[in-house]
Amino acid sequence: MPTGTTSGTPQVLLAHHLKQLKLPTVLREYDKVARECARDGVDHPRYLLRLIELELIDRERRTVERRIRAARFPAVKSFDTFDFAAIPGLNKMLVLELARCGYILRRENIIALGNSGTGKTHVALALGLAACQKGFSVTFTTAASLVNQLLEARDERRLLRLQRDLQAVKLLIVDELGYVPLSPTGAELLFETFSQRYERGSTIVTSNLPFEDWTSVL
């Protein structure tokens, strides 16, 4: 039997075992829920069900928070704070459909083109947040930052590892393509990143450049 099972108060032992089992929500809530169930005449199976449901909900919340931190968003934004009325040319229904993340399952890509101040980054951030909430891994970066990371990794002989990491993420968001001039080598590495992810994962790119001017960057 586990050490301490036959000695100590039940509360102390229960706290110890729940910590060992990594059930912090059950530890925090079991006494309060027990009193509520006793008051309401709830039987033991339903009492246990309530506790487990609370643990699962809290665990999912913590998991989503970890995905959001790992994504390295410059700010956490959702469509709840996006003013669709300010950009009447944007297809709201399409954007909200994309927030359901079906395109990630299909390994499709999104390109958001438009002038500065038209909400491209906000949309990209909101789609990234939706992906985190749906269980997908996300990485957010600007094109200039990503190129710098790739160049540094090449110089430090860890480029293949970085490229594998970029291939593995389910959604890569590359913001501000075309805002900062790229070196020829940097542009080649960025193009290679897009190529490696093609049909393997989804990529969102935002840019102020029309397609015909992309040859000046890539």
Side-chain angles (χ1 to χ4, degrees):
M1 297 180 68
T3 302
T5 299
T6 58
S7 62
T9 65
Q11 289 84 357
V12 171
L13 292 174
L14 183 58
H16 171 76
H17 296 331
L18 290 173
K19 287 177 182 177
Q20 290 291 103
L21 291 169
K22 295 182 172 59
L23 298 172
T25 306
V26 173
L27 174 59
R28 186 178 66 247
E29 300 289 340
Y30 79 88
D31 187 55
K32 182 184 74 174
V33 176
R35 284 185 272 110
E36 291 174 350
C37 289
R39 180 196 63 203
D40 300 336
V42 175
D43 58 24
H44 287 82
R46 287 183 174 81
Y47 162 64
L48 183 59
L49 178 61
R50 285 190 188 182
L51 277 179
I52 298 305
E53 286 176 340
L54 288 173
E55 183 69 49
L56 288 173
I57 291 169
D58 205 36
R59 184 169 295 185
E60 176 59 22
R61 177 188 57 79
R62 294 194 301 269
T63 301
V64 170
E65 289 174 352
R66 284 195 296 270
R67 290 193 203 104
I68 292 171
R69 288 195 297 270
R72 298 181 181 178
F73 298 127
V76 177
K77 294 189 177 183
S78 70
F79 288 116
D80 293 338
T81 58
F82 187 79
D83 186 6
F84 284 96
I87 311 173
L90 183 63
N91 187 332
K92 180 178 179 179
M93 296 304 297
L94 173 61
V95 172
L96 295 181
E97 175 62 27
L98 290 173
R100 300 176 65 177
C101 300
Y103 70 97
I104 299 178
L105 294 174
R106 297 187 296 271
R107 299 181 179 87
E108 295 173 349
N109 307 303
I110 298 172
I111 297 177
L113 301 180
N115 296 326
S116 298
T118 52
K120 300 184 301 297
T121 298
H122 190 143
V123 168
L125 288 168
L127 289 175
L129 177 61
C132 287
Q133 293 169 336
K134 295 285 187 180
F136 298 104
S137 57
V138 180
T139 293
F140 182 98
T141 181
T142 63
S145 176
L146 179 55
V147 166
N148 287 335
Q149 292 178 54
L150 291 166
L151 290 171
E152 289 177 3
R154 184 203 59 173
D155 294 342
E156 297 171 5
R157 298 188 177 182
R158 52 180 180 83
L159 179 59
L160 289 178
R161 184 173 64 189
L162 176 58
Q163 288 175 328
R164 283 196 297 268
D165 292 343
L166 291 170
Q167 287 180 48
V169 71
K170 296 299 183 182
L171 175 62
L172 175 65
I173 303 174
V174 181
D175 197 27
E176 300 180 346
L177 179 68
Y179 284 71
V180 178
L182 306 177
S183 67
T185 302
E188 289 175 4
L189 289 172
L190 181 60
F191 180 84
E192 188 175 357
T193 298
F194 291 151
S195 178
Q196 290 170 342
R197 288 186 54 78
Y198 183 65
E199 294 187 340
R200 295 182 181 179
S202 293
T203 304
I204 295 177
V205 179
T206 74
S207 178
N208 62 342
L209 293 176
F211 279 122
E212 58 266 25
D213 292 340
W214 277 40
T215 53
S216 64
V217 179
L218 299 175

